[in-house]
Amino acid sequence: MAEMYDVIIIGAGPAGLAAGLYAGRSRLKTLIIEKGQDGGQIAITNEIENYPGAMLEGESGPSLIKRMTEQVAKFGADRVSDMVKSVDLKGDVKKIECSKGTYESKAVIIATGCFPKPIGCKNEGQYVGKGISFCATCDANFYQDLEVYVVGGGDSAVEEAMYLTGFARHVTIIHRRDELRAAKSIQEKAFKNEKLSFMWDTVVDEVGGDEIMQYMIVKNVKTGETKRIEADPDDGIFGLFGFIGYNANSELFKGVIDMDEGGNILTDENMHTNIPGVFAAGDIRKKSLKQVVTAAADGAIAAMQAEKFINA
Ligand code: NAP
């Protein structure tokens, strides 16, 4: 028979880890299930400057997450590295079926976060990892002294583009409008960066090449004009990084948990979903501000509400 937990937390990003910390401190028998590395999006984010207290020299997503993971371990949550295959959440005993086994609990906190949206150009799938990337922290090194393009105009695109200027020969942000969405403070830094330039009102229509990506076709959305951008023959390749937002990782819960058309789970302000004993926390939720600080806050609230639910 599967071991019975008080609460199972699915996902070990900032929301899941904060939930694990609070559940552990409340002496709930807690299991955190994570299929990959801890941290979610933050594990692949280079610079963290707006998480309160994260002011250490060289603070990065991975360094912040490492401390969060260590802190959770102190309070005794069990950990398993496993992939959730299906869930049965409706009864009093919630069942989480994973690749390595089935886990059971009285309450569940869904903290599965988001994954990057594809750029949406022709042939994209063929060149992911061969010119196209969604993670500057992971892949910047491959583009040392090469030309790099970044698609997007939000905080992620602009911050990651600035990070990439530390490696690439030059970085160009391709944005579909003529104005950035990124926070003004981030924009100010970007406009001062001499290795960064902008291609406004432009989208990437197509990428191509042989084994690796060697050209792309971009289109001006105002004039309809297209332009073919080739890799410098001496380089043989250029980088194309996509940062155009995220999709919710909620496929497993479709038809069971209420969500919006984008797959963001609907909760009340106490992280309750439509199913008693099932809570959602962090970027997986529909909410106005998806940040580490709000994910951590969600996780804390979800854990305390799970405790209340179990002890009611
Ligand atoms: P975002 O804020 O949703 O911005 C997405 C950007 O991509 C927008 O500029 C958007 O253009 C563009 N875009 C969307 N779909 C596109 C498409 N199909 N083709 C071309 N461009 C497209 O996403 P994000 O920058 O990843 O940020 C996500 C959340 O995390 C935000 O809440 C953000 O504030 C937060 N975040 C915060 C920080 C920080 O505080 N340091 C860092 C990273 C992320 P339009 O502007 O035209 O819509």
Side-chain angles (χ1 to χ4, degrees), residues 50 151-156 159 175-177 181 186 243-246 290-291:
N50 56 357
V151 184
D155 290 342
S156 301
E159 282 195 330
H175 184 35
R176 65 181 177 182
R177 290 189 293 135
R181 177 183 292 276
I186 298 175
F243 296 107
I244 61 167
Y246 295 90
K290 294 191 178 187
Q291 298 270 289

Side-chain angles (χ1 to χ4, degrees), residues 123 126-127 130 206-216 228 230 236:
N123 302 332
Q126 260 175 271
Y127 295 100
K130 297 174 182 172
E206 181 182 329
V207 292
D210 296 326
E211 285 298 295
I212 52 172
M213 192 176 68
Q214 287 153 325
Y215 76 86
M216 69 177 164
R228 187 178 165 107
E230 301 270 358

